[in-house]
Amino acid sequence: MTRLAFTLILLALLAGIALAAPQPIPPLPPSTPAPTDVPGVPDFTKFVPGPKLDSIPPNYVDLGVAPRSTVVSVTIGLKLSNFDNFLAQLSDISDFQSLNYGKHLSAEALAVLEPPKQQIDLALTWLKTFSIDATYSRGYLTFNVTVDVMTKLFQAEYHVYRSAITNQEIIRTLSYNVVSVLADLFEVVLPGIDFDDIDHHPKTSPAPGLQALHKRQAPPSCNSQVTPSCLQDLYGIPKDPARQPQNTLSVPGFLNEYANSQDLNFFLSNTRPNLIPRPSFSTKFIDGGKNPQEPNTAGVEANLDTQYTVGLVNGGHVEFYSSALNSLQGFINMANSWLAMDSPPSVVSISYGFDEKQVSPATARNLCNQFAQLGARGVSVIVASGDGGVGGGRPKDTCPQFVPTFPASCPYVTAVGATVGMTETGADLSSGGFSNYFPRPTYQNAAVTGYLGRLGSMYQGRYNTNGRAFPDVAAQGVNIAIAHKGQAISVDGTSASAPIFASVVALINDRLLAKGRKPLGFLNPFIYQKQGIFNDISTGSNPSCGTKGFPATQGYDCVTGLGTPNFGRFAAAVGV
Ligand SMILES: *[C@@H]1O[C@H](CO)[C@@H](O)[C@H](O)[C@H]1NC(C)=O
C-alpha cells in the first residue's frame, strides 16, 4: 500500500470513520488473508508478549488486584532513531581535545532522534480507539487512565504491591502484552514491570553538639561538622557573587519531600551571614508535584539539597523541581520536560536513586538515553552514588553479587561518592562499583583498567569487570549540618555530596558564561582527561555485603572516583 493511502486510512480512523468505508476493494483470491491482515491496515487486535518477570521481586508484598477505577499516569517510551550517530556526536562535543568541544545541540537538532511521524500517528490512533488523548513529546506518549483501561491496553493484570523496605505502595504488573503493530515502537511501558520505588534517604542524627547553627558561627573546618563555609575553604570554592542569573541549577524533589524557605533562611543566616541579599530558590512542578511551606511538611532531603546549593552558588539561580511520581517514570517525565526547554538548566543535581536491579535494563537505558541528550544540550547531570557501600542504595548483609545503583551507573551522568574528614577519606557509606547493565565507556578505560589492576583477584566474580565503574568523583558526605523544622541537625549521605559537587560545576559555569562561553554540559570525558584537577583520595573503603568493600586507592577507585573538587585547578583547566 502506498504511503498516501496509509495516511488516508489513519485520517479516516482519526475522524472516527468506520473502516468499512465504501472503498472498492478488488476481489481477493481465496488464499489471500482477511482484510484486516492486509499490510498497512492497522490491526489493533493482535498482541505480542512484552517483557515479564518470573516472580514478584524480593521485598515486595502482593496486595491483590488493583482497584479498576484507580487512575494511573502512563508513560510510553518510544524507540528513538539515529541514536548511534547521536552518541558519536556527543562524544565528539564532550572531548576537550576536539575542535567541536562545547558545540552543544539545540532542541531542534535533537528532533532527528524522534521516531517516524507515521509510527507516532499509528500509536495515537490506537489510543484514540480507547478515547485516550495522549500527549506526545520527544519520544514519549503520556496520558492518565484507569487501571481498567490499562488492563485492556496491555492485556495485563495490574496489582498493588507494597515495598517492605520503603512501605510505598505501587501499581505494577508481572507481565504485559503489546499490540503487534506497535511492538517495535514501544520501548518501555510505565507503570509496567519495574518495581522501582525510589530509594535514598539521607541518614539523620540529632547532631550531638551541633555547634554551627546554634552558636551562630560556622566551624572553621570540616572536621567536626560540614557547612558551606568549611566547604569553601576545603575545596577553594569562591565566595564572590555569581553573576549569571540565567544559569540555573535544578534540584529535583520526589517522595513528598518539600524544601522549606524558613529553614533555608535560618540556615543561611547562620552559615552564610554575609550573603546579602539572602538568596532563595524558585519552584517548578510536574506530575502533581508541589512545595507546601507549613513547617511540618519540610523534608530532610529537599532541605539538604536546597540549603547546600543555595548556600554555595552565591546568589546563582537554584530551582526546586517537585514531582509526585515516585518512580523512574517520574525521572523520565522530568528529564523529558528539560529536553523540551529552549534553555534547560545547566546543572541538575539528583539525590534519589535505585538499586540497579530494581529497574529493568530497557527502562534504565531509556532514562540514560535522555541524560545523554541532556548532556548534549549542555546540561551536567550530577547524581548521588547511593549510601550502602558495595551493597547499593542501602547497606545489605547478604549479597553474593555487589549491588550497583542507578542512575549512578548510567555512563552519561557524573556520579558522586562521599568522603569524610578534613584529611579526606572515602566514607564507608559511599556506594560504588560496576554496572551490570552499562558497559564501560571509553572515557574511563584507562582509569578503570588501572583500578582493576590494583584490585587484582579481590572479589573476583562479585562484580562485572566490564561494567561502567562509578562513582566518578566525590565530595563531603558525613556530618553535614542542615536546618530542619527549625532545628539544626546533622545528616550523612551521598545525598549531600551530589549538591555540593553540582554547586562547584554551577560556579564554573557562571565563569564560563560570564566570558561568553558555553557551560560544561556532559562532564565525564573532560574530567577523566583532566584527573589532576581533583584531590585524589586514597584511603577508606565502602563495606557492605559482608565484605570490607572496595578500597580507595591512588588514582581512580570505586569509593571516591577521581577525587574531590579543587576549584582553582578545575577553573584553570577550563581557562576561567
Ligand atoms: C496526569 O495527572 C496528573 C495529576 O494527577 C497531572 O499532573 C499530569 O499532568 C497528568 N498527565 C497527563 C499526561 O495528562
Side-chain angles (χ1 to χ4, degrees):
M1 182 177 286
T2 66
R3 193 172 161 152
L4 178 64
F6 182 74
T7 311
L8 283 175
I9 288 177
L10 284 181
L11 285 174
L13 279 174
L14 281 168
I17 299 166
L19 253 185
Q23 268 182 351
I25 295 171
L28 304 169
S31 63
T32 313
T36 49
D37 289 342
V38 173
V41 177
D43 173 2
F44 296 134
T45 63
K46 292 206 175 65
F47 284 76
V48 295
K52 83 192 264 288
L53 299 178
D54 294 329
S55 59
I56 302 170
N59 299 319
Y60 284 89
V61 183
D62 186 350
L63 301 183
V65 180
R68 299 184 82 81
S69 59
T70 304
V71 175
V72 289
S73 284
V74 183
T75 300
I76 302 177
L78 309 182
K79 192 173 171 21
L80 298 179
S81 308
N82 306 309
F83 211 76
D84 289 343
N85 290 343
F86 161 73
L87 289 180
Q89 203 178 359
L90 174 61
S91 69
D92 184 29
I93 64 174
S94 315
D95 176 353
F96 202 62
Q97 269 133 36
S98 164
L99 285 175
N100 294 319
Y101 177 78
K103 291 190 179 158
H104 301 143
L105 306 180
S106 64
E108 295 74 58
L110 286 178
V112 295
L113 302 183
E114 296 193 47
K117 182 165 184 319
Q118 258 184 315
Q119 290 184 34
I120 300 164
D121 288 344
L122 185 63
L124 289 169
T125 304
W126 168 66
L127 290 169
K128 271 268 153 56
T129 65
F130 289 85
S131 308
I132 297 167
D133 263 320
T135 302
Y136 170 77
S137 175
R138 302 192 164 269
Y140 293 88
L141 293 164
T142 49
F143 51 91
N144 289 331
V145 286
T146 59
V147 166
D148 185 47
V149 173
M150 202 56 185
T151 302
K152 291 170 185 150
L153 287 173
F154 295 103
Q155 294 198 338
E157 186 169 272
Y158 279 84
H159 282 219
V160 178
Y161 298 91
R162 185 172 58 225
S163 161
I165 293 174
T166 65
N167 264 329
Q168 269 202 92
E169 289 183 8
I170 56 177
I171 293 181
R172 297 291 187 275
T173 179
L174 295 182
S175 67
Y176 61 84
N177 300 287
V178 182
V179 168
S180 316
V181 289
L182 296 168
D184 289 339
L185 179 64
F186 287 5
E187 200 169 68
V188 292
V189 172
L190 305 167
I193 59 156
D194 294 281
F195 284 63
D196 55 345
D197 61 332
I198 297 178
D199 204 347
H200 272 212
H201 254 316
K203 213 173 93 208
T204 61
S205 54
L210 211 178
Q211 318 84 343
L213 301 173
H214 287 324
K215 283 197 197 155
R216 297 197 143 254
Q217 60 173 38
S221 81
C222 293
N223 252 349
S224 54
Q225 189 163 52
V226 175
T227 61
S229 44
C230 88
L231 291 167
Q232 288 171 329
D233 292 344
L234 185 62
Y235 298 145
I237 300 171
K239 299 176 176 150
D240 46 318
R243 285 165 295 180
Q244 307 298 315
Q246 82 282 19
N247 179 25
T248 300
L249 193 173
S250 189
V251 176
F254 296 94
L255 298 175
N256 310 320
E257 284 274 347
Y258 307 123
N260 189 278
S261 306
Q262 247 175 301
D263 283 337
L264 174 64
N265 228 11
F266 173 47
F267 180 77
L268 292 176
S269 64
N270 285 278
T271 60
R272 300 272 343 249
N274 300 329
L275 199 52
I276 304 288
R278 203 165 289 149
S280 191
F281 52 85
S282 65
T283 50
K284 192 172 161 70
F285 305 118
I286 186 171
D287 288 328
K290 55 186 179 177
N291 197 36
Q293 289 299 299
E294 292 77 30
N296 66 336
T297 61
V300 171
E301 179 71 69
N303 271 347
L304 166 65
D305 298 349
T306 46
Q307 287 170 24
Y308 275 80
T309 48
V310 175
L312 286 170
V313 301
N314 298 330
H317 179 207
V318 172
E319 164 191 276
F320 178 68
Y321 194 0
S322 170
S323 168
L325 208 45
N326 298 320
S327 63
L328 204 89
Q329 189 189 353
F331 286 52
I332 284 176
N333 289 356
M334 197 178 272
N336 201 31
S337 79
W338 284 317
L339 283 172
M341 295 168 69
D342 285 334
S343 309
S346 60
V347 183
V348 166
S349 178
I350 302 176
S351 288
Y352 300 82
F354 313 83
D355 285 349
E356 191 183 61
K357 63 187 177 189
Q358 271 186 285
V359 180
S360 67
T363 310
R365 223 171 289 124
N366 186 276
L367 176 61
C368 189
N369 285 346
Q370 281 195 306
F371 288 147
Q373 292 174 66
L374 282 167
R377 291 290 311 279
V379 183
S380 301
V381 182
I382 313 297
V383 172
S385 75
D387 299 345
V390 289
R394 295 158 191 255
K396 295 173 184 68
D397 295 332
T398 48
C399 19
Q401 299 294 313
F402 290 164
V403 184
T405 62
F406 181 81
S409 68
C410 165
Y412 302 108
V413 307
T414 303
V416 190
T419 58
V420 55
M422 260 315 247
T423 307
E424 294 190 271
T425 298
D428 285 3
L429 61 83
S430 185
S431 288
F434 297 81
S435 173
N436 292 318
Y437 288 178
F438 299 96
R440 182 165 65 239
T442 317
Y443 63 72
Q444 64 173 196
N445 258 344
V448 174
T449 330
Y451 186 56
L452 288 169
R454 293 190 286 284
L455 286 177
S457 59
M458 190 189 244
Y459 306 135
Q460 220 166 42
R462 302 186 79 160
Y463 66 91
N464 173 19
T465 51
N466 300 316
R468 182 269 204 267
F470 73 101
D472 298 296
V473 293
Q476 291 277 314
V478 177
N479 279 333
I480 313 292
I482 68 163
H484 184 61
K485 300 188 178 176
Q487 300 285 317
I489 64 166
S490 188
V491 303
D492 297 345
T494 54
S495 280
S497 314
I500 293 168
F501 189 82
S503 300
V504 169
V505 176
L507 286 170
I508 299 277
N509 282 338
D510 185 75
R511 294 188 171 192
L512 283 166
L513 294 168
K515 293 200 161 182
R517 291 177 51 190
K518 292 286 174 51
L520 291 162
F522 174 42
L523 269 180
N524 294 3
F526 168 75
I527 61 178
Y528 282 86
Q529 277 166 343
K530 302 272 181 184
Q531 293 195 27
I533 67 177
F534 296 100
N535 309 311
D536 187 12
I537 312 300
S538 55
T539 56
S541 67
N542 51 4
S544 189
C545 301
T547 73
K548 288 183 175 154
F550 288 115
T553 63
Q554 270 180 13
Y556 178 85
D557 59 70
C558 284
V559 187
T560 61
L562 299 169
T564 60
N566 177 308
F567 192 92
R569 292 204 296 258
F570 198 155
V574 292
V576 291

